[in-house]
Amino acid sequence: MARLIGKPLKRNEDPRLLTGQALFVDDVELPGMLHAAFLRSDYAHARLKGIDVSAALEREGVVAVYTAEDMGDDWAPGPPLVIPPPTIEEVTFNTRTQVPLVKEKVRHAGEPLAVVIAESRYIAEDALDDIVVDLEPLPAVVDIERALDADAALVHDDLESNLAAHLVQTKGGYQSAREQADLIIKRRIVMDRGIAGAMENRGIVAYWDNKQQYLTVWDTTQSPIPIRNGLAGMFGLSEHQVRVIAPFVGGGFGPKIMMFYPEEVVLTWATLKLALPIKWIEDRRENFYATTQERGQVHEVEMALTEDGRILGLKDDFIHDSGAYDPYGLTIPLNTQCHVLGPYDIPNFSSELHVVFTNKTLTTPVRGAGRPHGVFVVERLLDIAARELGIDPSEIRRRNYLPNDVFPYDNVIIDQAFANFIIDSGDYLPAMEKALDMIGYKDFIENEQPRLRAEGRRVGIGVVSFIETTGVGPYEGARVTIESSGDVSVATGVGTQGQGHFTSFAQVVAEHLGVKVSDVHMVTGDTAQFHWGTGTFASRGAVVAANAMNAASSIVRKKILELASELLDAPEDELEIEDGEVRVADVPRMSISLGELAQKANPLRGAVEPGTEPGLEATAYFGPNYGATAFGTHAMIVEVDPETMNVEIRRYVVVEDCGTVLNPLILDGQVHGGVAHGIGNAFYEQLFFDDNGQLLNASFADYLIPTSAEVPTIEVGHTVTPSPLNPLGSKGAGEAGAIPVPALMAQAIENAIGEAGFEILESPMSPLKLFNLYYGDKEQ
Amino acid sequence: MKPASFEYVAPTTLDQALERLAEHGFEAKVIAGGQSLIPMMNFRLAQPSVLIDLNKIAELSYIRLKDDELRIGAMTRHVQVERDALIARHAPLIHEAMTKIATPQIRNRGTFGGSIAHADPAAELTAVTVALDARFRLQSAGGERWVPADEFFFGMFATALGPDEMLVEAAIPVAPERTGYALEEEARRAHDFAMAGAAAVTALDEGGKCSAARLVYFSIGDVPTDAGDAVAVLIGKEPTPDLIQSVVDTAADRLEPSDDIHATAEFRLHLARVLGRRALQRAFERAAVEAN
Ligand SMILES: Cc1cc2nc3c(=O)[nH]c(=O)nc-3n(C[C@H](O)[C@H](O)[C@H](O)COP(=O)(O)OP(=O)(O)OC[C@H]3O[C@@H](n4cnc5c(N)ncnc54)[C@H](O)[C@@H]3O)c2cc1C
């Protein structure tokens, strides 16, 4: 069989994308299409006393203006997307979900108050200025550490406090571990907020065709099928009357899995009323308020160790910022708890979590989804312990890795999928050693660093390990069909946002069916093409969807061989499928093309035998019991200018282990993008809110996304530890690149500064924060 | 993020443009490269009712040498200035500043005149033109006047330009011999506006003593800040590291830096000291090379 899985093939979809031939939501143009603009609150917390839209309605070109009142009984808070975990005892969870348009109270800046629908977006935006809103500002809840204070304002008036959730997870007994410890490291660690910053903002075109009684919604969503099901339910339509299409999407990174965004509900509601197509394209400023964000957490944490650097236990109590609502349940903080444990043997663990409501945009997973926080916490503590104990940072990690014979390893606590957090497989040491080798760790420490220090230069190295839980259930599916041309068509429910699905999935299919990868035509994210699925999230496409492809195409292969065996009058085990035809091995004359077989399998006359199906087609599903856990080590060399606190990244090395690699080119691309994202999270990207909950940097002028000038060349190496949980042995890699970067950069900068007491306990960092840290105690 | 509606005119001569400006005054805005104005219009921070496009006025784009002065037309693109041999030779400080402005894409559109007229406190050219004793020619339908750079910048985004006036050209004295230059800045990302910066111009006499020194900060306060007297003490002395340090310390004491999310006043002041010192040092090193 041609080995296609694992080949560094160029992407099938790139010619279309690079020549502007790919359809994005904003490319959808329909006759009579109207445009929507949303009036958004300037206040973060305010009572809505009244809205007067009469002047807006009079503006020429305005078709309609709607507020919450207009929606009548259709106005309802969104359904919770992820329910709180049923498996943890004594969990408190107060479900408060976002509303389509503000009715009584604004809970974060940018929450929509009204929508204008007009002949053009320009007119719609002009009309926003005509609307008169009476808002009574209220004190805002901004600082998550003060959200639970007795005198804090209430984000949700019907709750007694701003507590969204509370739970405790334990493994072993931390208290007794603490009593046996030689060293206790205790710190307060902060991770602040950022955005996902996808190149394409969100966008929706919704069209109710009244004659066909059919709703079509083009949506930048990461999960078209649940959107279809939800919209049908909300508006009393049959699922067959609703088609949701997630076409090419310019980056997802998590926030596009959120549902339902107010705009998705409002546009659908409005087109059902007007029976005309309506387009809304989120602009960049709106994106800073209206698309979900991530990262805000404060940890009070301690680690108990022996004098030789073995972790006896870890206690991590933290607060997580939910923002104004909590439709996404506890996914992020549960990921944090799991990733605090990391690749390490931590027998005793205790973690108390408080999730709080604040008057800020809601948080939902953004690439990393709580994992970078956990990695930052444990890696920072290990670095501090290593320094206190005089152990090399790479050595302390080595001493604490889970050994190879423990897998599958049950970490006892529950994970984001509400199952026990079990690590399926791992082999951590080779990844670390490869990374050390690639970056020349020993030589740097022994020769280069002392030499540069002698010249007065502050150059430092870092090395951190991480795990990434990936590929969670419940399931995905795929339908694989041999067309009468011999080409293969494949449909799956997951949407695609640049991950290369059209190629990596095609490689899996082509591997079984003996066709060219370019002859596999993939449809993703169109509910009219595939009915079942959940979505693209949690680094799961290459695990869950690819294994569904694998299952479906092996069934089709079986069908091909059965039919060909009959037609060629040769036993199946003598047949091979190559170059789009089935041949009797060693007898090239005896062959039949896949196209011909497909036609024979779908005859126009005669009968399909009872118990068989027409065509060479199969639909299959894959659902893992629990997620596959990828891992790796990153290493970096930085130079710090101690006068300006400018940090320059000089080397960046990644060793990634995500099991079986489907396409190394695509994988490296995912890793590069992840690292770039991580560098942003670590050093550039931070949202600043004032005491009133006003966002101070809602544009790319002041919210700093790293560019090609800030991202170094990334050297990627691999180790391969296949997952035993799925036939392909694959694990996800979509978030891996981003996860360890803040921890790594903190270590490398500390190493470069190389002064006792200079300790980074916060992410993102910045020259200003490093300045305050370094010069804070020094005389100016 | 769509601009409010406006009337658009695209004159092909300077006179036509000035007539339009005279007619509409405060209601109008000229648009040069649009790199600053378009974002402001899209955010609806600027809502001109008439937009006068200068891009079709060829006579405003040139770099020439005239009577020991470089003359730069207002519509000359950053990229043209950056690559111009006359500029590199006679105003190396401007040459050095150009590559620190924004990205190549933005420099392809942004203009020399636009940057100065816009008067962003973090724009390199504000400090650079002050340090080089540049003069600006302002023209209206009624006539023209010359304003020296150090009298042109009034405040953040505020200049000596009247509502009916346009900046049409800048005149920059050609560098005398034995002069050295340097521009130092600290920006978050390579292409960002600087958190703080300093431009230095120095000259050495035959004995290696300082014969002229100028240090102008940008992105510290609302307007370019000339260190003035503080650096005058260098004159007649050998510019030793200690002396330079004390000069920048004195200069820094007079600064009133502002606060923003990327740099507090304290951090800015610290950067001003560091960057002022580095700029002076490097300028003197270059002057020494020039002298040889
Ligand atoms: C991402 C980004 C980064 C940037 N970084 C930097 C940087 O690091 N340093 C820097 O200096 N600049 C930077 N800029 C600004 C850039 O240099 C702009 O091009 C410049 O400030 C304005 O020039 P313009 O020709 O685009 O002017 P426009 O945007 O067209 O106009 C700006 C203003 O000046 C007025 N104006 C323009 N020309 C004239 C004239 N001849 N007479 C009177 N008024 C006039 C306009 O009416 C308007 O009010 C950056 C811009 C961006 C978008």
Side-chain angles (χ1 to χ4, degrees):
Chain A
M1 194 189 275
R3 292 299 302 172
L4 291 172
I5 292 176
K7 276 214 172 146
L9 300 181
K10 288 199 176 163
R11 306 198 318 173
N12 273 346
E13 55 267 58
D14 282 351
R16 275 175 76 195
L17 285 165
L18 297 175
T19 57
Q21 305 299 306
L23 182 90
F24 290 82
V25 171
D26 201 11
D27 296 320
V28 174
E29 292 292 341
L30 301 172
M33 192 165 73
L34 301 172
H35 297 263
F38 285 84
L39 179 70
R40 298 182 182 279
S41 171
D42 290 332
Y43 293 109
H45 197 193
R47 206 163 296 287
L48 177 59
K49 314 275 271 205
I51 305 188
D52 179 356
V53 303
S54 52
L57 280 168
E58 274 163 33
R59 183 178 282 272
E60 201 181 318
V62 170
V63 174
V65 183
Y66 299 120
T67 65
E69 293 305 325
D70 297 311
M71 292 184 75
D73 290 345
D74 290 329
W75 185 96
L81 169 55
V82 181
I83 51 160
T87 44
I88 301 179
E89 282 169 45
E90 293 186 38
V91 50
T92 306
F93 190 86
N94 295 313
T95 304
R96 292 296 179 279
T97 55
Q98 69 289 350
V99 302
L101 292 169
V102 169
K103 198 172 218 168
E104 283 152 7
K105 201 166 100 154
V106 171
R107 297 194 176 84
H108 68 83
E111 213 176 351
L113 296 157
V115 63
V116 174
I117 293 162
E119 283 163 12
S120 80
R121 177 68 176 252
Y122 289 85
I123 296 170
E125 289 194 19
D126 288 345
L128 294 182
D129 289 344
D130 303 334
I131 301 176
V132 183
V133 188
D134 184 3
L135 284 171
E136 178 198 334
L138 300 167
V141 183
V142 182
D143 180 349
I144 64 173
E145 288 178 283
R146 285 171 41 202
L148 295 179
D149 286 359
D151 61 351
L154 288 179
V155 178
H156 297 278
D157 298 339
D158 59 329
L159 291 175
E160 279 166 23
S161 76
N162 290 314
L163 185 73
H166 174 254
L167 63 82
V168 178
Q169 294 222 66
T170 56
K171 170 188 178 188
Y174 177 73
Q175 212 40 37
S176 58
R178 189 182 201 281
E179 279 152 24
Q180 289 157 28
D182 299 315
L183 176 69
I184 308 272
I185 306 283
K186 195 171 179 342
R187 292 292 187 278
R188 176 175 172 277
I189 290 178
V190 178
M191 295 275 286
D192 208 351
R193 269 192 188 226
I195 58 162
M199 201 183 296
E200 186 191 8
N201 292 322
R202 290 185 298 125
I204 300 161
V205 174
Y207 177 36
W208 170 250
D209 182 328
N210 205 35
K211 282 195 178 148
Q212 291 200 61
Q213 294 281 296
Y214 195 74
L215 175 70
T216 310
V217 179
W218 286 263
D219 189 354
T220 50
T221 183
Q222 290 171 236
S223 37
I225 290 170
I227 294 278
R228 188 259 331 263
N229 298 349
L231 290 178
M234 250 178 248
F235 296 107
L237 300 169
S238 155
E239 285 170 13
H240 290 283
Q241 285 176 286
V242 185
R243 179 182 182 190
V244 175
I245 304 168
F248 279 102
V249 175
F253 310 120
K256 288 177 181 149
I257 191 109
M258 191 3 233
M259 71 189 76
F260 280 84
Y261 275 107
E263 299 86 358
E264 286 166 332
V265 177
V266 172
L267 255 77
T268 304
W269 178 83
T271 189
L272 283 165
K273 228 173 139 64
L274 298 171
L276 283 168
I278 308 171
K279 178 188 276 190
W280 168 74
I281 300 297
E282 183 184 54
D283 67 34
R284 188 58 69 182
R285 180 170 43 180
E286 289 184 288
N287 182 265
F288 274 95
Y289 296 99
T291 288
T292 57
Q293 307 172 346
E294 216 213 279
R295 301 287 193 257
Q297 288 184 355
V298 177
H299 294 248
E300 295 286 351
V301 58
E302 66 180 61
M303 182 184 265
L305 299 103
T306 62
E307 62 185 353
D308 59 354
R310 293 271 326 172
I311 306 170
L312 294 173
L314 198 152
K315 182 171 190 293
D316 180 15
D317 296 338
F318 66 102
I319 308 174
H320 173 78
D321 182 358
S322 180
Y325 303 96
D326 59 359
Y328 220 105
L330 295 171
T331 301
I332 302 170
L334 292 179
N335 270 343
T336 303
Q337 288 178 321
C338 292
H339 289 75
V340 165
L341 293 169
Y344 305 114
D345 183 359
I346 302 179
N348 302 293
F349 177 67
S350 156
S351 176
E352 180 174 13
L353 163 69
H354 289 93
V355 181
V356 296
F357 289 118
T358 59
N359 290 117
K360 287 182 271 182
T361 298
L362 21 176
T363 59
T364 68
V366 172
R367 198 179 209 166
R371 301 177 185 89
H373 321 46
V375 172
F376 192 71
V377 164
V378 68
E379 297 295 310
R380 290 283 59 211
L381 293 176
L382 280 173
D383 290 338
I384 294 163
R387 206 156 41 230
E388 300 247 330
L389 295 169
I391 303 174
D392 180 87
S394 67
E395 177 57 29
I396 199 166
R397 287 168 171 82
R398 204 170 302 190
R399 288 185 196 173
N400 285 289
Y401 281 149
L402 287 166
N404 286 3
D405 57 8
V406 298
F407 300 106
Y409 179 74
D410 188 347
N411 256 313
V412 184
I413 65 168
I414 70 131
D415 66 11
Q416 61 150 320
F418 307 159
N420 270 28
F421 170 37
I422 301 171
I423 303 183
D424 61 322
S425 56
D427 187 7
Y428 304 129
L429 200 52
M432 145 90 84
E433 279 172 350
K434 188 163 188 172
L436 294 177
D437 195 46
M438 282 169 71
I439 204 155
Y441 189 78
K442 200 160 170 285
D443 182 60
F444 180 85
I445 297 278
E446 288 173 6
N447 304 313
E448 198 178 345
Q449 191 174 35
R451 180 173 61 75
L452 293 169
R453 280 215 151 243
E455 291 172 17
R457 291 170 60 185
R458 309 275 187 129
V459 182
I461 197 164
V463 53
V464 305
S465 302
F466 71 99
I467 56 168
E468 183 199 357
T469 56
T470 79
V472 296
Y475 77 93
E476 287 302 335
R479 185 182 63 244
V480 174
T481 313
I482 309 283
E483 296 181 3
S484 43
S485 65
D487 283 6
V488 182
S489 69
V490 183
T492 178
V494 301
T496 195
Q497 302 87 34
Q499 296 90 339
H501 291 154
F502 295 76
T503 312
S504 52
F505 290 170
Q507 281 173 262
V508 173
V509 173
E511 176 90 53
H512 288 282
L513 302 182
V515 296
K516 287 207 266 281
V517 172
S518 54
D519 290 338
V520 178
H521 309 295
M522 189 75 51
V523 175
T524 67
D526 180 347
T527 63
Q529 297 278 333
F530 201 79
H531 193 80
W532 302 98
T534 47
T536 310
F537 58 93
S539 298
R540 65 198 286 280
V543 182
V544 192
N547 274 290
M549 305 271 165
N550 188 56
S553 22
S554 57
I555 300 170
V556 172
R557 181 183 175 84
K558 203 158 160 283
K559 289 189 177 180
I560 292 170
L561 292 175
E562 268 171 22
L563 183 61
S565 159
E566 204 181 301
L567 295 173
L568 296 172
D569 198 17
E572 281 180 39
D573 57 8
E574 282 176 23
L575 299 177
E576 58 182 28
I577 316 180
E578 290 283 352
D579 305 326
E581 56 182 29
V582 186
R583 306 195 267 247
V584 180
D586 307 325
V587 194
R589 271 183 311 105
M590 290 183 63
S591 69
I592 183 166
S593 74
L594 289 179
E596 213 173 317
L597 272 176
Q599 289 165 27
K600 293 241 152 60
N602 184 25
L604 290 174
R605 294 288 182 278
V608 171
E609 283 179 31
T612 66
E613 293 165 352
L616 298 174
E617 177 176 285
T619 300
Y621 298 88
F622 181 77
N625 285 338
Y626 57 93
T629 301
F631 60 90
T633 295
H634 288 205
M636 139 196 259
I637 293 175
V638 299
E639 176 155 11
V640 182
D641 178 336
E643 285 193 318
T644 63
M645 290 298 161
N646 190 354
V647 177
E648 190 196 334
I649 303 173
R650 297 183 43 178
R651 290 277 305 280
Y652 201 106
V653 165
V654 174
V655 175
E656 168 73 15
D657 191 322
C658 56
T660 306
V661 176
L662 303 181
N663 180 324
L665 209 56
I666 289 176
L667 172 59
D668 286 0
Q670 287 286 314
V671 170
H672 289 174
V675 170
H677 213 144
I679 288 171
N681 292 159
F683 201 68
Y684 294 99
E685 299 183 41
Q686 182 170 7
L687 294 168
F688 294 94
F689 294 88
D690 72 9
D691 293 344
N692 300 316
Q694 288 294 329
L695 182 55
L696 301 176
N697 56 335
S699 88
F700 279 165
D702 278 319
Y703 182 87
L704 313 175
I705 300 254
T707 72
S708 54
E710 286 73 45
V711 178
T713 301
I714 299 159
E715 303 157 57
V716 187
H718 302 275
T719 58
V720 177
T721 309
S723 173
L725 300 180
N726 65 73
L728 287 172
S730 56
K731 301 175 178 180
E735 298 166 89
I739 290 169
V741 191
L744 178 65
M745 203 150 170
Q747 188 193 115
I749 292 171
E750 276 178 12
N751 185 255
I753 294 287
E755 290 181 23
F758 182 84
E759 222 174 73
I760 294 168
L761 297 172
E762 186 178 344
S763 176
M765 292 154 268
S766 68
L768 173 60
K769 288 187 203 170
L770 294 178
F771 167 79
N772 289 336
L773 209 53
Y774 188 71
Y775 288 91
D777 317 320
K778 295 191 183 173
E779 283 290 326
Q780 269 285 318
Chain B
M1 284 179 71
K2 303 283 184 220
S5 67
F6 55 86
E7 188 195 330
Y8 172 83
V9 291
T12 51
T13 66
L14 176 58
D15 287 344
Q16 288 169 2
L18 293 172
E19 265 168 43
R20 286 309 195 120
L21 208 49
E23 192 181 325
H24 300 289
F26 278 118
E27 298 285 285
K29 273 226 167 272
V30 298
I31 182 163
Q35 299 302 295
S36 301
L37 185 54
I38 294 285
M40 286 171 58
M41 288 173 65
N42 283 348
F43 277 115
R44 299 199 176 201
L45 296 171
Q47 303 198 8
S49 50
V50 181
L51 197 62
I52 305 170
D53 188 345
L54 306 182
N55 285 278
K56 296 209 164 91
I57 308 179
E59 65 192 283
L60 285 177
S61 176
Y62 54 85
I63 299 168
R64 53 176 94 103
L65 196 58
K66 191 181 171 208
D67 309 330
D68 278 349
E69 272 186 333
L70 280 166
R71 297 290 182 99
I72 306 177
M75 283 302 290
T76 313
R77 310 279 167 192
H78 292 325
V79 63
Q80 291 171 286
V81 178
E82 179 184 343
R83 295 189 186 158
D84 189 82
L86 284 174
I87 299 277
R89 175 134 176 256
H90 297 297
L93 181 61
I94 294 181
H95 178 74
E96 181 167 336
M98 293 325 292
T99 55
K100 301 196 162 143
I101 299 176
T103 62
Q105 295 92 321
I106 292 164
R107 296 201 292 274
N108 283 341
R109 296 291 305 163
T111 63
F112 198 82
S115 186
I116 288 161
H118 189 55
D120 190 305
E124 287 81 357
L125 291 179
T126 61
V128 163
T129 50
V130 170
L132 291 175
D133 287 325
R135 300 178 304 143
F136 302 132
R137 185 152 64 92
L138 315 189
Q139 204 168 320
S140 66
E144 66 165 56
R145 59 184 176 126
W146 283 92
V147 178
D150 64 0
E151 291 171 21
F152 180 79
F153 301 105
F154 284 4
M156 187 181 287
F157 308 121
T159 68
L161 279 165
D164 61 341
E165 277 181 318
M166 261 177 59
L167 172 65
V168 292
E169 82 174 344
I172 294 126
V174 161
E177 294 197 340
R178 300 169 184 284
T179 303
Y181 303 87
L183 186 124
E184 290 281 347
E185 68 174 46
E186 211 36 53
R188 285 297 330 259
R189 295 168 301 179
H191 70 280
D192 280 321
F193 278 111
M195 293 183 285
V201 182
T202 63
L204 291 173
D205 66 18
E206 284 168 11
K209 302 246 160 56
C210 172
S211 57
R214 205 68 193 275
L215 180 66
V216 185
Y217 298 99
F218 58 99
S219 202
I220 300 285
D222 286 352
V223 287
T225 316
D226 194 334
D229 309 346
V231 284
V233 304
L234 282 162
I235 297 191
K237 302 202 181 95
E238 193 186 325
T240 62
D242 283 350
L243 185 57
I244 290 175
Q245 184 65 56
S246 85
V247 161
V248 296
D249 285 345
T250 315
D253 287 343
R254 300 181 193 167
L255 296 173
E256 284 174 14
S258 51
D259 257 318
D260 66 33
I261 56 173
H262 302 304
T264 54
E266 193 193 356
F267 185 37
R268 280 219 153 77
L269 198 58
H270 169 85
L271 288 175
R273 282 203 183 88
V274 172
L275 300 170
R277 189 195 76 225
R278 289 182 182 179
L280 279 174
Q281 244 156 13
R282 212 149 55 78
F284 278 119
E285 281 161 23
R286 286 191 180 157
V289 173
E290 287 283 308
N292 285 325

